[in-house]
Amino acid sequence: MFVLARKDFFVRYRRTSFGLLWAVFLPVLQATVLTIVFGKLLRSRAPDYAVYVFSGMVPWSFFASSFGQGATAIVDNTTLANRIYFPRAVLPLIPVVSSLFSVAITIALLIGMSLGFGVSLGPELLALPLGVLLVALLSASFGLVASALHVYFRDVRFIVSASLTVWLYLTPVIFRVEQLPRVLRPIIKANPMTGVVEVFRFATVGASDGWSTSLLVTAAWMVVLLSLALQLHRRFDRLFADRI
């Protein structure tokens, strides 16, 4: 899995003019646009608002990329998936491991940006590895379930793509949970990505009130999804090749 993930990462940027800079440029560009647009709409003049948005974009970019690729990984890798002794559950995990290379670069940029904007960093910074572990496990959980379903229902590809578009705006990347009306807060806290984003915020600019509840919700999502993924792959793994 590590060998395939490493190959996937370097092949992705091998013939590009800017190479690994694309791993940094894309989340930075998206964070910049969100900061400019929503900074005015939310009337946020805080100098660290750019850091606030980028600290949310780092885990979100990891999740969107890993889940988006992992959801179709079995069908997209038919050559490997058709091999009798190849463990097909590895395929949705490859994008997750591959994204770890990119997230290491963006985290270094996040720390540098925090210092540049005068954010006081403390021992909470040690929570960043926990945040990476959480988003990796969550991405793997969703990817394993979706990839098994995609073998039987090819609509999953389009459902995942559409859901990620909406999902971004239901995740507290550009806003704080306490800024929302009370009726909407339970919905946002039930979002499995909210707990992950809040861990990154806790490590840098500070998390929202009651963020530990969101973290427990994220853990519950992971347990349920991993249990479901285990059942799906144990039961249908040998049938995937016939369906592809």
Side-chain angles (χ1 to χ4, degrees), residues 17-44:
S17 300
F18 296 99
L20 296 180
L21 290 177
W22 284 111
V24 177
F25 177 73
L26 294 178
V28 168
L29 175 63
Q30 192 169 9
T32 301
V33 172
L34 291 175
T35 300
I36 294 173
V37 175
F38 289 95
K40 292 184 178 181
L41 290 177
L42 298 175
R43 298 180 180 179
S44 177

Side-chain angles (χ1 to χ4, degrees), residues 24-180:
V24 177
F25 177 73
L26 294 178
V28 168
L29 175 63
Q30 192 169 9
T32 301
V33 172
L34 291 175
T35 300
I36 294 173
V37 175
F38 289 95
K40 292 184 178 181
L41 290 177
L42 298 175
R43 298 180 180 179
S44 177
R45 298 181 180 179
D48 61 351
Y49 183 66
V51 181
Y52 182 85
V53 173
F54 190 62
S55 65
M57 281 305 307
V58 171
W60 174 257
S61 297
F62 183 109
F63 176 76
S65 175
S66 301
F67 178 34
Q69 296 177 54
T72 61
I74 295 178
V75 174
D76 291 344
N77 292 275
T78 305
T79 304
L80 289 175
N82 281 335
R83 295 182 181 179
I84 298 175
Y85 297 107
F86 186 83
R88 296 166 186 86
V90 167
L91 294 172
L93 301 180
I94 291 174
V96 178
V97 179
S98 177
S99 295
L100 291 174
F101 296 101
S102 300
V103 80
I105 300 173
T106 53
I107 283 178
L109 181 61
L110 173 61
I111 294 173
M113 184 183 292
S114 300
L115 296 173
F117 279 88
V119 176
S120 179
L121 299 178
E124 295 85 0
L125 197 64
L126 297 175
L128 282 177
L130 172 61
V132 173
L133 177 62
L134 284 175
V135 72
L137 290 174
L138 192 65
S139 302
S141 304
F142 274 99
L144 285 167
V145 172
S147 63
L149 295 176
H150 184 240
V151 174
Y152 293 88
F153 309 101
R154 301 304 168 90
D155 298 296
V156 169
R157 178 190 300 271
F158 304 102
I159 293 173
V160 169
S161 178
S163 64
L164 286 173
T165 302
V166 178
W167 202 336
L168 170 62
Y169 298 101
L170 295 177
T171 304
V173 172
I174 57 177
F175 57 84
R176 290 186 179 273
V177 177
E178 55 264 28
Q179 291 178 310
L180 300 174

